Structures are given as structure tokens and as C-alpha cells.
């Protein structure tokens, strides 16, 4: 039994059940299974016949040589001052060289990867690398002509002995070629060389590609992965259908990079050596010219060592100056003594120890002073007439005259010496005055010589350093790991493809069902209806009737249709309990929003259900505009009905009511003739009399009304209804139309409503299951109970 829900919660407060959401999709599990099988089959086919891609990688360290050589294998030499001028570019520039098209072209030419060999497989061509049944050696190759042709493709098929049939697959032209004998293609001169390891030579297809195009292709495929933001550890990775080719391309690229770096360094070194040798020749000639000028300068100025001779002149000049000073002093002393002698009396002592260098004069002065002292001592006790005094005075005059004469002679000699010394001093002074200009000129010559010698020695040193740089051929890229391939194909990965196929197989039906559910604006099941309007109780749902099934309920029917109406009747007891009158027949209105939702179908089967329970039931045609009940009456029965009874008071109601074709307990009062004013007739007093009269005769009056949204007829009869069954057809009724029912219920124009969901797919019965419907239904014989 389906319970009746009458809750005040809004539809927005309904909790979404994950189980219910999953149930929406589980109903279509066969489609999921079929799609998964199809996609998995497609995935397996793709794995089987797709050319696999393999990956190879190598790791290198780029030796970035900076100003002081740090990080370089040549740093030991640079720390000694060697090759400091040969530092390389930054790491970014080295990576740019690794990515260059120029290097990749060298790789393509060296490995001949622009010439590819293919063998025919079951489904696809298989590329053969290195171990070819025969090799095609290129003697002459015109890459520009090949480019203009857009590539070339030739099939080589062995005929007999060493002969091959060569067919151009573009223009289908063929010719015969012999192994070991050169022959011409449209763009090259080639020769075939067979491989003795192959006893039977299969047919081989050789494809020729433009070198530039092939270089660009592999340049874009090679990935350079830097170990860190400023790390010089670089990983080179390449993906290719041939593992061996991928490894050799990476190894060759590293080799070409090192070779290019060494060539650049050697080129610089050779250019530097040439420049140094040229400069050495020039500097050597200039140095010889400077040394010759220095030699001539010394000869002209009679110089051996200008610094030593200048020092000697200065010392001689100082010596003469000192002697001149001494002579001048002696002359002054002699003059002073003479002046003193001339002004002194005969008894005065002469000054002694004045520094006069003439020894005889000093001796005479000392002797004179001794005699003066002796005379003065004698005069103390005698007079001037004393013979001793007279003799002493004569001796004193004689000594004094000798002193004056000696001083005068010494003065004359000093004057002569002074003149000679001044002449010598002047000669030395002139020589000293000439020294600065000679020294300046000499220093200029010597400076030029030193500059040339220093430059000459510097260039000699640089030539040795450059020779050392030429001898050192350290690779720019140090190989940490050579190119290596794990052997596992990276594409297609069977596990990923199959997993993706399963996901795709689930996603396709899921997306279709999900989009269908989102775009679907029709009421499909009970849950949709309850979500749209939860204030109106749900009293029953009626399954879809198949073409081979009975349209109406049969006697002792145990079908899902019959069971659904039994549940509907049971659930209606809650609504009927609210009826004000208990002694009269219950009036049940069956209506819908629009035409075609199953009102008549519901009314007929509801009446049959009540009749099968032994109740006296009348089905009344309340839709005066579109009569539907006449086919369910016997063919010869009265065709007049409700409209005729209301408009013609002479008609007897009992004459208009006829028995149905379904049960003796079920009568039908059809709508009758189509009137021009259905709403006025249904709202007349005569209609009230009709309802009152039939309520006295029947237990249940089921009124098959007109669509409530299209006309106002149902609202005219609303006051007579004890219960209104509002029929909604699954897959037909638009969800937006439910708002009309909600508004009518809130406005009170339709009271005591209950929803009936018609034409429900068997998978949507209940809450997406069939529990309770058709229980016990099977090929069992009906058991008759005897009364």
C-alpha cells in the first residue's frame, strides 16, 4: 500500500537521496554494459594497431665557465691566470644552442634519419632502424630538390641475384637497379648495399624527407628539463616510435653540442694565435727601433749611465760649494785679523785659535802673544829702556810684520783658490743643468722601451696560454647518464587506454541520461510530483498499459494495473473520511490540467474497482464539451445524458442512466449532447438536483470532468465534490502545469485534492521500484470460494 503524504514542507527542503540519484542510472544498466563493451573493444583495437611511442632520456651537466672559471674543468688553469679571456656564454645561451635547428640538422645528417626504412605489417607499416636487409648509401643528395618534391617514397623489391625493382610510390614509375652499382633517383645518387645477415630480402619502403623539415620536427620533440631554477643539470628527453633511434638522437645531439663548443673555442684560440703572432712581429720591430735610438742617444751625449753620472756631478758641485765656503771663511778671518792688528797698540795680544788653517801664522801669533806677555811682565819691574825690553820690542815688531805679511799672502792665495773653485763650480753647475733635459729625453726613450718590452713579454705569455687552450679540449656538456630507454611504451599505455575506455563507456550513457534528465520538463514518477508539490497528498499511481494488455480491469484481475487501482481506492478512504455527509454516496471528481492525461481511463477503472468490491457505482460524464463515456455503454443504450437532463426538465434521470459493459454494479451517465453553454448548464440548479438524486441511489459517484486549466466547467462543479482526484500523466504532463494545481489548491477553488499519477513506466512505480505491485501474480489458477 502506498501511504498518503500531506506535509507542509516546501519542495526545496526535500533531501536528495544519493541512492535515488544512482537509481536513475541503474535502470539503464544494459546501456551502460553495451557502451562499456563497445568502448573497451575500440580501446583494445586502438592499442593493438596504434604505433607505440617510446621515451629515451639522458642527463648532462653544462660546464658554465664564468670569469674565474668556477664550475669548469679548466678552473685550475684559470686560477693560475690562464685562458681567463675565453669564458663561455651564460647557461640560457647554452640551452638555446642545444635547442638550435643548426645542431639538429647536423644530427639528422650524421644519423641519416631523414631516410627511413619500412616493412609492411599486417595492419600498418613498421619502421626498421639500423638492422636493415639492405642499406642505401647516398653519394650525392640535393635537399632543395627533395624539398620542392615534398618528399619521396620508393618501394625496393628484390627480384633475383642482386637486382631490385625500384618503384616511385608517388608517380608509380619503376626501374631496375643492381646492388653495388650507383643509380639515380630524382634528387640523389645512391647505391644499394645488401646485408649478408639476411638470407631472404623482403620488400622495403624507403621514405626520404627534407633535412630541414626533419630537423624542425625532432627539435620540437626534444625536451630540455632543467633540474632547478639555476641548476646546470639538464635532462634531455625524446619520444619516438623507435627506441634505438631516440637514444642515438639524444647521444648525437650531446656530441654535436660538445663538438660545436670545442670548435668555437678552437676557432677563437686560432684567431687569437694569429693576432698574437702578428702583434709580436710588430712589437719586435718597434722594440729594435727604440733600442737603437737609446744607443745613439748615449753615444751623442757621452753617457754610460745617466743616473750615476748625474749623481757624481751633484756630489762634485756640493764639494766645491763646501770648499768655496771654507775659502770665504778663511778670507774673512784673515781680513779680521789684519784689521785688528792695524788698530791694536803694541801691547795688545793678538786673537788666537780663530780657525785660520795656515799653521805658520797661528804659530807666529802664539809666539807674538807669548813675547807680549813676557815684556809686560818685565815692565812691571823695569822701564822701556831696559835692553831686554828694547830687544823684545824689536822682536815683536818683526814678528808682527811677518804675521801681517803672512796674512796678506794667505789672503792672496785664498782669492786665487776661490776664483778657480768658482770656475769649476760653474762648469759642474752647467753640466747639472743639462741633466734634466737629457734625463727627460732618456726617460722617454726608456719608457717606450719598457712599454714595448712589457707588451712583448705579455704577448709571449698569451701565446703560450693560447697554445695551452688549444691543447685542452674539455667537453662543454659532461654526461651524467647516457641516453637510456626503459623499454616500456609511454603511448598508448594499455592500462590507461582501457581505463579510459571504461570511463568513456560509462560516461556516454551517463551524460545522455543526465542531460535527458536535466532537459526533461515532464513529470516522470511519484518523486517528481512530490518535489513539485508537497502540500497535495499523493493517493496513487497507475502503470502504463502495454498494447497487448487489457485497457480495463477484468474480473478477478491480479495484474499490476488492478493492484494499483486497489491501492488507489484504499488510499482514498483518508480523503473520503473528510466528507461532510456520511449517509449519501461519495462524489469523486476525476480531473486533470489538460486533455489527454487519462481522466476517462482513471474514472472507468476506478469505477470497476469499486464495482468489483460490490459497491453501487455511477460514472457521470462531467465533460460536456468532449463526451467520452458512450463507448462503455451497450450499443443500443440511451445516448442522451447530463446536458440533456439539465436542459430538458421532462426527461427522467433513470431513463438516461445505463448499465456499463464491465459490471452489473457499474452504471454510466454519459455527458449527452454537446451544448453551446456547458458552464451555465453545470452551474444551474438542475445540476444540483441531479447530484442530490444520484447520491441517494449510489455508493460512489465518479465524475469524469473537463480539463481544469482549459475551461471553467470543473470549477462550476467543485462544490459537489467530496474528493477531487487530479490526474497527472507521466511523460506527458509538463512540470510547469503543476503550478496551476498548487495555485488552485491555495486559492480554495479545488478542495480536498489528491494526485493520481497515470501511465507510469513499470521501472518508475513507487520510488523507482515495483515493490508491492503484482505481488503473487503468475500462472496460478483462480480459486473460487463457495458462498
Amino acid at each position: 500500500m502506498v501511504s498518503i503524504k500531506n506535509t507542509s514542507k516546501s519542495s526545496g527542503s526535500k533531501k536528495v537521496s544519493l541512492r535515488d540519484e544512482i537509481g536513475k542510472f541503474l535502470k539503464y544498466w544494459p546501456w551502460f554494459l553495451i557502451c562499456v563493451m563497445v568502448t573497451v573493444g575500440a580501446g583494445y583495437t586502438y592499442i593493438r594497431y596504434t604505433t607505440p611511442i617510446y621515451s629515451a632520456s639522458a642527463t648532462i651537466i653544462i660546464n658554465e665557465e664564468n670569469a674565474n672559471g668556477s664550475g669548469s674543468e679548466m678552473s685550475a688553469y684559470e686560477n693560475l691566470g690562464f685562458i681567463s679571456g675565453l669564458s663561455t656564454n651564460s647557461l640560457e645561451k647554452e640551452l638555446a644552442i642545444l635547442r638550435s635547428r643548426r645542431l639538429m640538422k647536423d644530427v639528422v645528417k650524421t644519423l641519416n634519419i631523414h631516410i627511413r626504412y619500412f616493412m609492411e605489417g599486417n595492419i600498418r607499416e613498421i619502421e626498421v632502424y639500423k638492422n636493415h636487409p639492405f642499406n642505401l648509401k647516398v653519394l650525392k643528395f640535393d635537399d632543395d630538390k627533395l624539398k620542392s618534391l615534398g618528399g619521396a617514397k620508393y618501394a625496393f623489391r628484390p627480384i633475383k641475384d642482386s637486382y631490385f625493382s625500384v618503384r616511385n610510390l608517388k608517380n608509380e614509375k619503376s626501374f631496375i637497379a643492381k646492388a653495388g652499382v650507383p643509380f639515380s633517383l630524382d634528387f640523389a645518387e645512391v647505391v644499394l648495399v645488401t646485408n649478408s645477415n639476411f638470407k631472404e630480402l623482403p620488400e622495403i619502403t624507403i621514405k626520404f624527407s627534407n633535412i630541414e623539415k626533419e630537423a624542425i620536427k625532432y627539435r620540437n620533440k626534444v625536451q630540455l628539463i632543467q633540474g632547478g631554477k639555476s641548476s646546470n643539470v639538464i635532462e634531455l628527453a625524446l619520444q619516438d616510435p623507435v627506441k634505438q633511434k631516440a637514444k642515438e638522437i639524444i647521444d648525437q645531439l650531446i656530441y654535436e653540442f660538445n663538438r660545436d663548443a670545442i670548435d668555437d673555442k678552437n676557432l677563437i684560440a686560432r684567431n687569437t694565435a694569429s693576432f698574437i703572432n702578428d702583434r709580436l712581429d710588430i712589437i719586435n720591430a718597434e722594440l729594435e727601433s727604440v733600442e737603437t735610438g737609446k744607443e745613439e742617444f748615449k753615444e751623442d751625449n757621452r753617457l754610460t749611465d745617466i743616473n750615476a753620472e748625474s749623481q757624481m756631478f751633484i756630489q762634485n758641485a756640493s764639494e766645491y760649494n763646501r770648499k768655496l765656503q771654507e775659502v770665504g771663511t778663511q778670507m774673512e778671518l784673515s781680513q779680521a785679523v789684519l784689521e785688528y792688528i792695524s788698530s791694536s797698540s803694541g801691547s795688545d795680544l793678538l786673537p788666537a785659535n780663530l780657525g785660520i788653517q795656515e799653521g805658520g801664522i797661528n804659530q807666529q801669533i802664539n809666539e807674538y802673544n807669548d813675547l807680549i806677555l813676557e815684556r809686560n811682565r818685565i815692565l812691571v819691574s823695569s822701564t822701556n829702556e831696559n835692553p831686554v825690553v828694547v830687544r823684545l820690542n824689536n822682536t815683536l815688531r818683526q814678528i808682527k810684520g811677518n804675521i801681517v805679511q803672512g796674512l796678506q799672502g794667505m789672503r792672496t792665495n785664498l782669492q786665487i783658490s776661490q776664483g778657480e773653485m768658482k770656475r769649476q763650480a760653474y762648469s759642474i753647475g752647467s753640466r747639472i743643468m743639462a741633466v734634466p733635459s737629457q734625463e727627460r729625453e732618456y726617460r722617454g726613450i726608456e719608457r717606450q722601451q719598457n712599454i714595448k718590452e712589457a707588451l712583448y713579454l705579455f704577448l709571449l705569455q698569451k701565446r703560450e696560454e693560447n697554445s695551452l687552450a688549444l691543447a685542452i679540449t674539455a667537453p662543454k656538456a659532461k654526461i651524467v647518464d647516457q641516453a637510456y630507454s626503459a623499454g616500456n611504451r609511454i603511448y598508448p599505455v594499455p592500462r590507461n587506454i582501457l581505463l579510459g575506455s571504461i570511463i568513456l563507456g560509462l560516461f556516454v550513457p551517463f551524460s545522455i541520461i543526465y542531460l535527458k534528465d536535466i532537459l526533461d520538463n515532464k513529470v516522470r514518477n511519484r518523486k517528481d510530483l512530490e518535489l513539485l508539490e508537497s502540500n497535495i497528498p499523493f493517493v496513487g499511481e497507475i502503470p502504463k498499459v502495454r498494447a497487448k494488455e487489457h485497457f480495463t480491469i477484468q474480473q478477478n484481475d491480479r495484474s499490476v494495473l488492478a493492484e494499483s487501482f486497489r491501492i488507489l481506492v484504499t488510499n482514498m478512504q483518508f480523503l473520503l473520511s473528510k466528507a461532510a455527509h456520511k449517509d449519501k454516496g461519495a462524489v469523486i471528481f476525476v480531473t486533470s490540467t489538460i486533455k489527454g492525461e487519462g481522466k476517462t481511463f482513471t474514472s472507468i477503472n476506478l469505477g470497476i474497482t469499486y464495482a468489483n468490491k460490490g459497491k453501487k457505482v455511477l460514472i457521470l460524464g462531467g465533460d460536456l464539451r468532449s463526451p467520452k463515456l458512450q463507448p462503455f455503454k451497450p450499443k443500443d443504450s440511451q445516448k442522451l445524458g447530463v446536458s440533456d437532463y439539465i436542459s430538458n426538465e421532462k426527461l427522467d434521470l433513470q431513463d438516461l442512466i445505463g448499465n456499463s459493459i464491465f459490471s452489473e454494479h457499474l452504471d454510466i451517465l454519459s455527458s449527452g449532447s454537446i451544448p453551446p453553454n456547458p458552464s451555465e448548464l453545470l452551474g444551474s440548479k438542475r445540476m444540483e438536483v441531479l447530484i442530490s438524486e444520484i447520491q441517494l441511489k449510489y455508493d460512489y459517484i465518479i465524475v469524469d470532468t473537463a480539463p481544469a486549466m482549459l475551461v471553467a466547467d470543473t470549477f462550476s462543479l467543485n462544490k459537489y465534490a467530496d474528493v477531487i482526484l487530479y490526474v497527472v500523466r507521466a511523460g506527458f504532463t509538463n512540470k510547469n502545469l503543476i503550478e496551476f494545481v498548487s495555485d488552485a489548491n491555495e486559492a480554495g477553488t479545488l478542495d480536498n485534492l489528491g494526485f493520481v499519477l497515470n501511465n507510469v513506466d513499470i521501472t518508475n512505480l513507487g520510488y523507482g521500484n515495483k515493490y508491492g505491485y503484482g505481488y503473487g501474480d503468475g500462472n496460478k489458477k483462480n480459486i473460487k470460494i463457495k458462498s
Side-chain angles (χ1 to χ4, degrees):
M1 181 182 297
V2 179
S3 62
I4 300 174
K5 291 186 178 180
N6 189 2
T7 174
S8 61
K9 294 181 181 180
S10 64
S11 61
S13 63
K14 293 278 185 179
K15 292 185 177 179
V16 177
S17 171
L18 179 60
R19 186 174 181 179
D20 292 343
E21 293 299 318
I22 294 176
K24 292 180 181 179
F25 301 97
L26 289 180
K27 293 184 297 183
Y28 304 97
W29 66 266
W31 289 107
F32 282 92
L33 180 60
I34 293 172
C35 287
V36 168
M37 292 175 64
V38 170
T39 54
V40 168
Y44 176 78
T45 304
Y46 181 79
I47 295 170
R48 176 68 178 82
Y49 298 112
T50 299
T51 302
I53 302 297
Y54 300 91
S55 177
S57 61
T59 305
I60 62 173
I61 297 177
I62 295 181
N63 296 317
E64 185 181 8
E65 302 169 5
N66 51 31
N68 58 8
S70 60
S72 170
E73 290 188 14
M74 301 169 71
S75 59
Y77 299 101
E78 292 189 359
N79 290 333
L80 295 174
F82 294 161
I83 57 177
S84 59
L86 300 177
S87 59
T88 61
N89 295 327
S90 63
L91 180 61
E92 289 76 11
K93 294 180 180 179
E94 301 296 344
L95 293 179
I97 294 174
L98 261 177
R99 295 189 185 98
S100 67
R101 190 174 67 254
R102 174 177 58 84
L103 279 188
M104 189 55 71
K105 283 181 68 176
D106 293 338
V107 173
V108 171
K109 291 177 182 177
T110 303
L111 299 179
N112 287 324
I113 56 179
H114 59 294
I115 303 174
R116 294 182 294 164
Y117 298 75
F118 292 90
M119 291 180 62
E120 193 69 29
N122 294 330
I123 300 296
R124 55 182 173 83
E125 289 182 328
I126 301 172
E127 183 175 355
V128 182
Y129 187 72
K130 290 299 184 184
N131 191 23
H132 308 142
F134 53 83
N135 290 321
L136 195 68
K137 292 190 177 298
V138 178
L139 305 178
K140 184 180 179 182
F141 190 84
D142 191 344
D143 191 52
D144 293 333
K145 189 171 184 180
L146 178 61
K147 183 179 180 180
S148 64
L149 293 173
K153 187 176 180 181
Y154 289 85
F156 290 79
R157 181 173 57 85
I159 302 175
K160 60 179 180 178
D161 297 334
S162 299
Y163 289 91
F164 289 81
S165 172
V166 182
R167 179 165 54 95
N168 189 332
L169 296 179
K170 281 195 172 184
N171 55 23
E172 297 299 327
K173 292 182 179 179
S174 301
F175 60 91
I176 304 299
K178 184 178 181 181
V181 178
F183 60 92
S184 297
L185 299 177
D186 293 336
F187 52 88
E189 291 286 335
V190 296
V191 61
L192 275 172
V193 179
T194 57
N195 191 339
S196 58
N197 294 329
F198 286 83
K199 295 181 179 179
E200 295 184 2
L201 299 178
E203 181 174 347
I204 295 293
T205 300
I206 302 180
K207 296 180 181 180
F208 299 86
S209 301
N210 173 244
I211 294 176
E212 182 81 16
K213 181 180 178 182
E214 206 71 14
I216 293 173
K217 182 180 78 172
Y218 280 101
R219 171 181 174 268
N220 295 332
K221 289 174 68 174
V222 172
Q223 297 179 347
L224 301 182
I225 305 169
Q226 196 169 356
K229 187 175 181 180
S230 58
S231 173
N232 60 345
V233 178
I234 307 298
E235 180 183 356
L236 289 86
L238 175 62
Q239 298 176 4
D240 196 79
V242 183
K243 290 180 286 186
Q244 185 65 23
K245 184 198 289 188
K247 292 192 293 184
E248 291 190 8
I249 288 174
I250 292 177
D251 286 338
Q252 188 66 30
L253 180 60
I254 297 172
Y255 171 80
E256 295 292 341
F257 175 73
N258 284 330
R259 182 189 59 77
D260 183 72
I262 292 172
D263 289 346
D264 285 347
K265 187 179 69 173
N266 289 342
L267 178 62
I268 294 172
R270 284 191 292 269
N271 290 339
T272 304
S274 176
F275 170 79
I276 290 174
N277 290 331
D278 291 343
R279 291 302 301 168
L280 280 173
D281 293 340
I282 296 172
I283 297 301
N284 187 45
E286 291 177 351
L287 186 58
E288 289 181 356
S289 175
V290 171
E291 289 178 344
T292 302
K294 182 179 179 181
E295 181 180 355
E296 292 175 352
F297 176 79
K298 285 186 175 182
E299 290 177 353
D300 293 341
N301 291 278
R302 297 179 181 180
L303 297 175
T304 55
D305 187 348
I306 191 171
N307 291 327
E309 292 184 1
S310 298
Q311 187 66 29
M312 183 182 65
F313 290 153
I314 293 172
Q315 290 177 355
N316 291 338
S318 299
E319 182 67 22
Y320 278 113
N321 289 333
R322 184 182 61 78
K323 290 181 177 180
L324 280 171
Q325 188 177 3
E326 290 179 357
V327 169
T329 303
Q330 293 298 316
M331 288 178 64
E332 291 296 328
L333 287 175
S334 61
Q335 181 64 31
V337 174
L338 287 172
E339 291 177 356
Y340 180 81
I341 293 174
S342 62
S343 62
S344 64
S345 62
S347 59
D348 293 333
L349 294 173
L350 296 177
N353 300 323
L354 292 176
I356 296 173
Q357 295 178 353
E358 185 64 38
I361 295 174
N362 288 328
Q363 184 179 359
Q364 288 178 355
I365 290 173
N366 290 332
E367 184 179 355
Y368 178 82
N369 289 333
D370 290 339
L371 291 176
I372 288 294
L373 290 175
E374 183 180 357
R375 189 193 68 173
N376 289 338
R377 190 169 52 248
I378 294 172
L379 285 176
V380 173
S381 59
S382 65
T383 63
N384 288 328
E385 282 81 10
N386 187 328
V388 176
V389 174
V390 172
R391 183 179 54 84
L392 289 173
N393 284 334
N394 291 330
T395 303
L396 287 171
R397 282 193 295 270
Q398 184 179 359
I399 293 173
K400 190 175 183 180
N402 292 336
I403 292 172
V404 171
Q405 186 177 0
L407 287 172
Q408 289 176 349
M410 183 184 74
R411 182 175 176 80
T412 300
N413 293 334
L414 287 173
Q415 288 176 347
I416 294 171
S417 297
Q418 187 181 39
E420 182 62 26
M421 287 181 183
K422 284 182 178 183
R423 187 181 62 80
Q424 292 293 336
Y426 177 77
S427 176
I428 293 173
S430 62
R431 295 291 297 273
I432 291 174
M433 289 178 66
V435 166
S437 60
Q438 292 175 348
E439 185 175 8
R440 182 177 65 253
E441 185 177 355
Y442 180 78
R443 285 186 178 277
I445 296 172
E446 197 172 45
R447 186 183 303 111
Q448 289 295 322
Q449 182 185 17
N450 292 336
I451 291 173
K452 301 300 181 183
E453 286 179 349
L455 185 56
Y456 186 79
L457 293 174
F458 174 78
L459 290 175
L460 285 176
Q461 180 184 0
K462 289 303 174 183
R463 185 169 66 179
E464 294 303 316
E465 292 174 2
N466 192 61
S467 299
L468 181 60
L470 277 170
I472 299 173
T473 57
K476 174 67 67 176
K478 182 177 181 180
I479 300 175
V480 178
D481 289 319
Q482 287 188 334
Y484 170 77
S485 175
N488 300 326
R489 57 182 177 181
I490 62 170
Y491 182 84
V493 180
R495 180 181 61 185
N496 296 345
I497 296 296
L498 293 177
L499 180 61
S501 300
I502 294 172
I503 294 174
L504 180 62
L506 296 174
F507 176 76
V508 170
F510 174 85
S511 59
I512 294 174
I513 296 169
Y514 181 74
L515 289 174
K516 181 182 176 183
D517 185 62
I518 290 177
L519 299 175
D520 188 13
N521 62 348
K522 307 295 183 182
V523 176
R524 296 288 176 182
N525 51 38
R526 174 178 180 171
K527 186 175 181 180
D528 290 344
L529 201 55
E530 289 179 343
L531 288 172
L532 292 169
E533 177 52 65
S534 60
N535 293 323
I536 298 176
F538 187 90
V539 293
E541 51 188 342
I542 302 169
K544 180 184 292 186
V545 178
R546 308 295 177 184
K548 63 179 180 178
E549 296 176 343
H550 291 290
F551 180 74
T552 56
I553 299 172
Q554 307 299 310
Q555 187 69 27
N556 298 322
D557 198 341
R558 299 180 63 185
S559 65
V560 176
L561 178 65
E563 191 63 33
S564 66
F565 273 97
R566 293 188 187 103
I567 294 172
L568 172 61
V569 167
T570 303
N571 291 338
M572 282 178 57
Q573 299 307 313
F574 173 76
L575 297 177
L576 290 172
S577 65
K578 298 180 180 181
H581 51 82
K582 302 294 183 181
D583 55 342
K584 296 181 180 180
V587 181
I588 302 171
F589 276 28
V590 180
T591 189
S592 66
T593 308
I594 58 176
K595 183 180 178 180
E597 292 183 290
K599 301 184 303 299
T600 303
F601 168 78
T602 303
S603 300
I604 293 296
N605 283 288
L606 182 61
I608 293 172
T609 303
Y610 275 120
N612 288 340
K613 295 177 67 174
K615 302 296 182 180
K616 189 67 175 175
V617 183
L618 173 68
I619 300 176
L620 188 148
D623 188 356
L624 303 184
R625 302 171 189 268
S626 179
K628 295 290 182 64
L629 296 178
Q630 189 62 33
F632 303 107
K633 296 170 65 177
K635 292 183 179 180
D636 56 348
S637 63
Q638 179 62 260
K639 295 183 179 181
L640 300 178
V642 176
S643 61
D644 301 291
Y645 175 79
I646 297 173
S647 59
N648 189 355
E649 295 182 358
K650 294 180 179 181
L651 293 176
D652 186 6
L653 182 60
Q654 192 60 38
D655 294 337
L656 303 178
I657 297 174
N659 193 254
S660 70
I661 61 176
F662 305 109
S663 173
E664 60 183 7
H665 298 291
L666 178 62
D667 294 337
I668 294 177
L669 177 58
S670 61
S671 57
S673 304
I674 299 175
N677 54 346
S679 296
E680 287 79 0
L681 291 178
L682 294 174
S684 65
K685 193 70 175 177
R686 183 78 171 164
M687 186 64 190
E688 184 178 352
V689 173
L690 187 151
I691 295 296
S692 300
E693 187 175 343
I694 60 178
Q695 277 186 304
L696 297 175
K697 296 180 180 180
Y698 293 94
D699 297 321
Y700 294 97
I701 298 94
I702 301 172
V703 182
D704 181 19
T705 67
M709 186 177 180
L710 301 180
V711 293
D713 299 2
T714 302
F715 296 105
S716 300
L717 297 173
N718 182 36
K719 58 185 177 181
Y720 305 118
D722 294 321
V723 173
I724 299 177
L725 295 181
Y726 204 98
V727 179
V728 176
R729 184 174 179 178
F732 178 80
T733 303
N734 197 304
K735 292 179 180 179
N736 295 331
L737 298 179
I738 305 302
E739 293 182 9
F740 170 79
V741 188
S742 302
D743 295 341
N745 184 49
E746 292 178 3
T749 54
L750 294 176
D751 292 330
N752 206 16
L753 281 170
F755 276 126
V756 176
L757 185 60
N758 181 33
N759 200 45
V760 182
D761 192 86
I762 194 70
T763 59
N764 289 328
L765 285 175
Y767 292 94
N769 57 65
K770 297 179 288 184
Y771 299 144
Y773 293 94
Y775 174 74
D777 191 16
N779 296 325
K780 295 181 180 181
K781 295 181 179 179
N782 294 332
I783 301 175
K784 295 183 179 179
I785 301 176
K786 297 180 179 179
S787 57

